[in-house]
Amino acid sequence: MVEINNNQNSGDMNKMIDVNSVSEDGNENVNKNMSVSSNYNDLTDIDWQRLEDGSYSPSSYINRDLSLLQFHLRVLAQAASPRHPLLERLFFLIIFSSNLDEFFEIRVAGIMQKLNIGDVSTSAHGMRPSEVLNEISAITHDAINEQYRILNEDILPALALEDIRYLKRDELNAEQSAWMKRYFTEQVVPVLTPISIDPAHPFPRLVNKSLNFIATLEGKDAFGRDINLAIVPAPRSLPRVIRLPDELTGGKEHHVMLSAIIHEHIGELFPGMSVTGCHQFRLTRNADLDLADDVEDIAKALEGELENRRFGDKVRLEVTTDCPAHISEYLLNEFELHDNQLYRVNGPVNLTRLLFDFNIPGLRYQPFTYAVPKAFRREMDKSDKSSSMFAAMRKSDVLVHHPFHAFLPIINLLWQAASDPKVLAIKQTLYRSGTNSEIVKALAAAARNGKEVTAVIELRARFDEASNIAVANYLQEAGAVVVYGIVGYKTHAKLMLIVRREEDRIRRYVHLGTGNYHAANAKVYTDYGLFSADPDISEDVHKIFQELTGMGKPANLKKLLHAPFTLHEKLMSFIDDEIAHAKAGKRAHIIVKANALTERRLIDKLYDASQAGVKIELILRSMCCLRPQVKGLSENITVRSIIGRFLEHTRIYYFYNNGDERLYCGSADWMDRNLFHRVEVAFPIENKKLFKQIYQDGLINYLQDNTQAWTLDGTGVWQQLQPAAGEVPHVAQEHLLKVINGVEESS
């Protein structure tokens, strides 16, 4: 359990959940015996009040990085939960590994950079970088131990019962061992490069997150040298898990790890010498990109930085549990890392590449058929296919709720526009995409067909930079105009604009979304998309594209809220309105669903609203720096998080407004970066039917979840809910599968 330093900010320490505590009905419990500083318990109401400068005390906030780490632990808890099918539990384990990799590459690396500048707090929570790093180290060491316990004690034995096995070297029979030797000789050796450590061969510069082996040797090499150590990088071109041939397994899903193959035969790489030890390890580096605001060409600058990402500063070393202390100490010294940056794992050092996608339906989530909104189904049945979707949008706004609704209508709209002679222009923002995307292909086809196509591509979408550069080149070759948004401001808004000539007039059609134009993401992310021909909204979208591609003052928009210009200001004013209603004795209510809440001024305003009597319900997937349910500070605020089959991604802002309700969907989380350093858009839902649909399905439904929901308390502890005695279990995502897709709920 985490040891907490006794200081005024110790309340910021989010504690690790006990993911091993699983009740008989499959619902996870949280270890309530959290290690909470006695100093935190001694806080009184006055500690939560404003300071002399009008701000709240540091103890009023939860550290952002520790809050994000707690989200990763909630994901890990899913791997331990028998509520999920077996292969999905394995997938959650892999997701946790991937999440933790990025956490170290970006967040931990960033904190280390701050520490190098000085161990001084610059954040609202008041914690110093060294304190945050110590907490992260303690929590992640416990979490990784639990991750491998789940793998070795729960998931692998259960998979073996289903004849899915990852065989160890000593589990292979003679025929399988012979096959493994041939595989090593024919497939592995040609691409292996063993590197001896000697005066002529210094320790190699290893790529971020690559699998490597350190071998200890005895004897002399071909040149008569005494070589004691060698490094063998595993080829990145080879799979980390290799399926044994059917004739050797009877067609069963039996596999062997690449690490086992190399380990078994590493002696063959050093003829005439003895390998006395072989140990796998993995180094994690800083992978954040650092672009100056005054670059002349973002694309060229990014291409240069992408190579640097592979060799950034070292932040973490992973070795196996059987690695001798003198070897791990040697590696730590070589990488200039400390003991608390060493992670010993009881299994493969890289679970992110563990094979899991087996076609065994009984071990996966129940499949479903993606729905299509009735408005588009009706129009698609008509003979005039070229204008069918435009006709539906002229009649009324159309809403899609992914992944329950198909992504296909977005693709179909673009393809219709690409071939429609009445369409003059298409403009679209692209944040995460790919050259194989139907979206990109349709835009390219439209450009080749003579349409004026403009793509605003955000090259700096983290870990998709190379793909986005390729998309930009592809579209430019097709004749589209490609711009990269605004230097210093990521273009994160999800916008599509189609300009069509109809009966001697110009009409605009738009799609606005909360998620990316990415068909694969739309199958696993929950997001809303609005199709509209509303003249005011269409005009607003047109003005935003003018901002992104041209110059001039911020656009004066009629309906859309627009970061970095009006979104934060409007949100603050909407909360002020609720405060005024509460003070006047009227009903006041705010519901926000987003990925994260970290922006201090909004948090402070929500504290003010709570103290004024406003009921505030927050549904936040990951980070929350606000402390709910604290006497004198936030008694009227509740915070919950939904972790389940789909990644919650919708952003919805609801304000009761004395009965004149406001409801916006948007691309922005309530974070400093989204509100002040990105181009974001929030759009109002004015159609009464769609308003009710989002309010019920996207908000109330999630507030009723009593099975996959976690709630946050004022001490920073997350606890998973369980249905009370006699209470019917309600799982928000399963409910939507039932009402939208006709899938029977499993709980």
Side-chain angles (χ1 to χ4, degrees), residues 374-382 384 387-399 500 502 507-509 530-535 687-690:
K374 291 182 179 179
F376 288 152
R377 293 204 304 270
R378 286 195 299 266
E379 294 299 331
M380 287 167 63
D381 291 338
K382 295 185 177 179
D384 185 9
S387 64
S388 60
M389 295 190 71
F390 298 116
M393 293 166 68
R394 286 195 300 271
K395 290 181 180 179
S396 178
D397 290 351
V398 182
L399 183 76
R500 196 168 186 261
E502 300 175 359
R507 187 188 291 272
R508 298 186 180 101
Y509 299 85
L530 180 70
F531 296 82
S532 179
D534 180 279
N687 179 291
K688 292 182 179 180
K689 180 180 178 181
L690 302 186

Side-chain angles (χ1 to χ4, degrees), residues 459-475:
L459 296 181
R460 294 160 295 179
R462 185 175 291 149
F463 299 119
D464 278 324
E465 297 93 347
S467 174
N468 286 351
I469 290 172
V471 168
N473 293 336
Y474 175 76
L475 289 176

Side-chain angles (χ1 to χ4, degrees), residues 178-289:
W179 176 89
M180 184 171 72
K181 181 177 177 61
R182 289 195 302 274
Y183 185 91
F184 177 79
T185 303
E186 298 172 2
Q187 302 293 330
V188 181
V189 170
V191 289
L192 272 183
T193 306
I195 305 168
S196 62
I197 306 299
D198 60 67
H201 302 87
F203 199 97
R205 193 182 183 198
L206 301 176
V207 174
N208 180 34
K209 297 186 298 185
S210 59
L211 172 64
N212 302 278
F213 297 84
I214 182 169
T216 54
L217 308 170
E218 288 182 353
K220 296 183 182 295
D221 71 356
F223 299 94
R225 300 173 301 171
D226 286 313
I227 302 297
N228 304 120
L229 287 175
I231 301 297
V232 182
R236 298 172 72 84
S237 58
L238 294 180
R240 292 296 181 261
V241 183
I242 298 95
R243 190 177 191 274
L244 291 170
D246 286 347
E247 59 268 23
L248 299 180
T249 66
K252 298 175 181 178
E253 293 287 354
H254 288 185
H255 307 78
V256 64
M257 306 294 293
L258 176 65
S259 57
I261 296 176
I262 294 176
H263 196 160
E264 177 70 13
H265 299 287
I266 195 167
E268 298 179 28
L269 302 176
F270 306 98
M273 304 181 73
S274 298
V275 177
T276 58
C278 177
H279 308 282
Q280 58 178 296
F281 68 93
R282 181 171 180 255
L283 181 67
T284 307
R285 296 177 179 272
N286 183 339
D288 210 0
L289 300 183

